[in-house]
């Protein structure tokens, strides 16, 4: 039994055409009109399958095939994108989930448990922070009220945007605890391709620390202000950016640091800036080293504030410790992938995913497919069709097997 590769690929294309950007990618920032159109398309496909559709207070959509009994085996991911998104990040996990159900229905094979597909709100965290917000609320890690009161980088209130796109649902938060959760996702990195391995059995997700840093100095004339009298936030922002790169290189291992966003004000050629607002994305698989990185950055910024005569205030946008997935699910993914005749390797995820939030409440793991040249969060993101299709077939088998497995009572069954 195999999924329909033709249908999967054509649906990936149809979804990619919503919010299209040059280079074949998509821009569907969370809770924008493009996100709404993507949601509407998925809901249509869920309705065509006769799934029971529930939408909760943060707009998470869950389509359930109500067969068998007990808590569902859940899959899914997200369809919101970064501004320069590719066509597979998140979308693959949602569409492969629909494929699994449609293929089993067509084969008249019904599992002993319900199967469900989740479309989680605001996984990217590009417009509203933190990332993985919808699945975090679904798993009970963030209060719905707090999420609804989040303000976006463009000044919009999340609750208003959710109402505007008409996806403020009434299903309870936290969501019903699944029996197990498995997510198919592109690796978004270079490891599988570099190792010549077809699939990843994902062991966990690295810790994530996101901060917003506001540097305030003294706006002044670029021509008349002597260098010794400047309190220049742009210079301080540059020093912080260089420090983060050097810190990551010094710590080595899985340490990564990124300054992805810098807003200079007033951003004019002949004005020493008044302020600089930047974001820090610091990640590591090891929580203690991540904490060390955070404190070294804090110390550096403190010293810089004094030496440059600027004020620096920080705001935490997201902070998630490393997550370890359930060995039973990882083992299952690894053995099924091998039984499909494909090579597989165990690996941590560098990117954040909804699965890391579901792992708080039920046995979870992920299946990775390779990303060509390791590129993602970029319209050039690409994964070979065979990898998409074979990955979906592994997802199908994994969900089928999970539906027949009995986990201990902690999964709420
Ligand atoms: O930032 C991440 O790792 C994810 O794409 N939200
Ligand atoms: Mn993703
Ligand atoms: Mn992403």
């Amino acid at each position: 039994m195999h999924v329909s590769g033709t249908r999967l690929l054509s649906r990936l294309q149809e979804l990619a055409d919503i919010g299209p950007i040059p280079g074949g990618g998509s821009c569907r920032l969370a809770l924008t009109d493009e996100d709404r159109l993507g949601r509407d398309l998925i809901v249509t496909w869920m309705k065509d399958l006769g799934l029971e559709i529930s939408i909760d207070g943060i707009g998470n959509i869950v389509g359930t095939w109500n067969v068998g009994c007990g808590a569902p085996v859940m899959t899914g991911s997200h369809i919101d994108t970064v501004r320069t998104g590719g066509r597979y990040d998140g979308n693959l996990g949602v569409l492969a989930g629909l494929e699994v159900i449609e293929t089993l229905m067509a084969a008249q094979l019904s599992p002993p448990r319900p199967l469900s597909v989740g479309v989680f709100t605001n996984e990217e965290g590009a417009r509203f922070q933190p990332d993985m917000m919808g699945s975090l609320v679904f798993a009970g890690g963030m209060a719905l009220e707090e999420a609804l009161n989040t303000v976006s980088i463009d000044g919009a209130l999340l609750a208003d945007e959710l109402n505007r796109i008409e996806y403020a649902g009434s299903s309870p938060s936290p969501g019903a605890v699944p029996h197990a959760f498995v997510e198919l996702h592109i690796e978004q990195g270079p490891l599988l391709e570099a190792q010549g391995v077809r699939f990843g059995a994902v062991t966990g997700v690295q810790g994530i620390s996101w901060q917003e840093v506001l540097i305030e100095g003294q706006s002044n004339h670029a021509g008349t202000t002597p260098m010794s009298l400047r309190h220049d936030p742009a210079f301080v922002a540059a020093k912080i950016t260089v420090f983060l790169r050097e810190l990551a290189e010094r710590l080595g291992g899985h340490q990564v640091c990124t300054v992805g966003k810098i807003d200079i004000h007033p951003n004019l050629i002949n004005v020493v800036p008044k302020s600089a607002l930047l974001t820090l994305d610091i990640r590591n698989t090891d929580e203690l080293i991540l904490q060390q990185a955070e404190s070294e950055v804090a110390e550096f910024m403190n010293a810089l504030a004094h030496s440059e005569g600027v004020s620096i205030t920080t705001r935490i946008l997201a902070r998630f410790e490393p997550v370890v997935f359930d060995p039973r699910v990882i083992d299952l993914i690894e053995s099924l992938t091998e039984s499909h005749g494909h090579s597989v390797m165990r690996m941590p995820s560098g990117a954040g995913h909804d699965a890391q939030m579901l792992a708080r409440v039920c046995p979870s793991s992920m299946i990775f497919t390779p990303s060509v040249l390791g590129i993602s969060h970029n319209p050039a993101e690409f994964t070979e069709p065979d990898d998409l299709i074979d990955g979906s077939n592994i997802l199908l088998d994994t969900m089928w097997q999970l539906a027949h497995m009995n986990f201990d009572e902690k999964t709420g069954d």
Side-chain angles (χ1 to χ4, degrees), residues 194-211:
Q195 306 279 337
V197 173
R198 280 293 303 281
F199 295 99
V202 185
T203 54
V205 178
Q206 66 179 342
I208 298 177
S209 164
W210 279 5
Q211 294 178 59

Side-chain angles (χ1 to χ4, degrees), residues 217 227 230-232 235-236 239 303-311:
M227 299 311 287
R230 294 187 179 208
H231 306 288
D232 181 350
F235 172 70
V236 172
K239 294 278 276 185
L304 210 47
H306 285 100
S307 61
E308 294 300 321
V310 297
S311 84

